[in-house]
């Protein structure tokens, strides 16, 4: 904090309490005290009471009142497609329903810390949201936290009963061809949450010749691998 009287006579102030300009002002002359430099680390705004007037027959007490600046913890969300995303900072949790800007309602004073976390990940569609710039110390501006959401992927698989021949081939969604020779299978291509699946028999076993039928073969990906086909 630096105070200035009548455009000069700078006075550096390092603590609360009394301070005095070194240059005296003659009786009958005017004075005008202003803030030449506001405090930093933490950043503050100082207001002056009784900062102007005319010197009479005594010194003048000017009141300087300083308050620490407060700033918003805010940011942007991209890629949100599911429901239920909640972000947390301090004692506040806020719901996020769409891409775009967000801000916590409780500001943080300069010099204070923030730590934004995902309180609840989106479901339906199931997604994972990650944060960047989510923690630190407030200085002299609002924060900008970036939230990026991606839809989770899961695999389709299941069990095979009674297989004795060779050459069984399964398809998922008319593609992703998978030869099956054991008692379980998993298609290699993962599907996004919300996508549908449909498992069919592309080729039945030969040598021994068999006919294979599929049950629990269709559905929608939710929040886990499908193992029930």
């Amino acid at each position: 904090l630096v105070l200035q009287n009548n455009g000069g006579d700078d006075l550096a102030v390092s603590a609360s309490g009394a301070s005095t300009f070194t240059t005296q002002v003659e009786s009958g002359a005017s004075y005008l005290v202003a803030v030449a430099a506001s405090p930093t680390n933490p950043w503050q705004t100082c207001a002056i009471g009784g900062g102007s007037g005319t010197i009479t027959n005594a010194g003048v007490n000017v009141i300087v009142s300083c308050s620490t600046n407060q700033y918003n913890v805010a940011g942007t969300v991209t890629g949100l497609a599911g429901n239920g995303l909640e972000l947390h900072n301090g004692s506040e949790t806020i719901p996020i329903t769409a891409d775009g800007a967000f801000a916590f309602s409780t500001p943080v004073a300069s010099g204070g810390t923030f730590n934004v976390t995902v309180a609840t990940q989106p479901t339906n569609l199931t997604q994972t949201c990650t944060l960047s710039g989510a923690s630190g110390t407030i200085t002299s501006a609002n924060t900008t936290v970036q939230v990026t959401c991606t839809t989770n992927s899961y695999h389709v698989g299941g069990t095979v009963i009674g297989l004795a021949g060779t050459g069984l081939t399964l398809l998922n969604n008319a593609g992703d061809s998978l030869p099956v020779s054991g008692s379980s299978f998993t298609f290699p291509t993962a599907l996004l949450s919300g996508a549908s699946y449909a498992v069919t028999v592309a080729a039945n076993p030969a040598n021994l010749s068999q006919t294979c039928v599929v049950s629990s073969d269709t559905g929608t990906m939710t929040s886990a691998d499908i193992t029930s086909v």
Side-chain angles (χ1 to χ4, degrees):
L1 171 63
V2 178
L3 302 178
Q4 195 174 76
N5 184 33
N6 290 335
D9 193 19
D10 286 358
L11 173 63
V13 180
S14 59
S16 294
S19 298
T20 304
F21 287 99
T22 57
T23 302
Q24 294 181 320
V25 179
E26 292 182 349
S27 178
S30 62
Y31 64 93
L32 177 61
V33 178
V35 175
S38 293
T40 61
N41 195 31
W43 274 252
Q44 295 186 292
T45 299
C46 296
I48 296 176
S52 63
T54 301
I55 297 293
T56 56
N57 60 350
V60 174
N61 286 323
V62 176
I63 303 300
V64 181
S65 301
C66 296
S67 60
T68 302
N69 297 347
Q70 294 188 323
Y71 301 97
N72 291 326
V73 177
T76 57
V77 178
T78 58
L80 181 59
N83 302 315
L85 172 62
E86 292 183 324
L87 301 179
H88 180 81
N89 181 57
S91 60
E92 185 179 2
T93 300
I94 59 173
I96 305 295
T97 59
D99 281 353
F102 69 90
F104 290 91
S105 61
T106 305
V108 177
S110 176
T113 59
F114 65 96
N115 183 28
V116 179
T117 58
V118 176
T120 306
Q121 295 281 5
T123 59
N124 189 35
L125 308 169
T126 303
Q127 294 189 289
T128 298
C129 298
T130 58
L131 310 178
S132 61
S135 61
T137 301
I138 297 291
T139 56
S140 59
N142 297 332
T143 64
T144 302
V145 179
Q146 181 64 50
V147 182
T148 303
C149 299
T150 56
T151 303
N152 297 346
S153 296
Y154 304 98
H155 290 274
V156 175
T159 56
V160 180
I161 301 171
L163 180 60
T166 58
L168 172 62
T169 301
L170 302 178
L171 297 178
N172 185 26
N173 292 334
D176 200 16
S177 178
L178 177 66
V180 177
S181 60
S183 60
S184 63
F185 67 93
T186 301
F187 285 96
T189 302
L191 299 179
L192 293 173
S193 175
S196 60
Y197 64 92
V199 178
T200 56
V201 175
N204 276 301
N207 189 34
L208 305 168
S209 180
Q210 294 185 290
T211 298
C212 298
V213 294
V214 186
S215 62
S216 300
D217 52 325
T218 61
T220 300
M221 308 302 293
T222 56
S223 58
D225 292 339
I226 298 298
T227 60
S228 58
V229 179

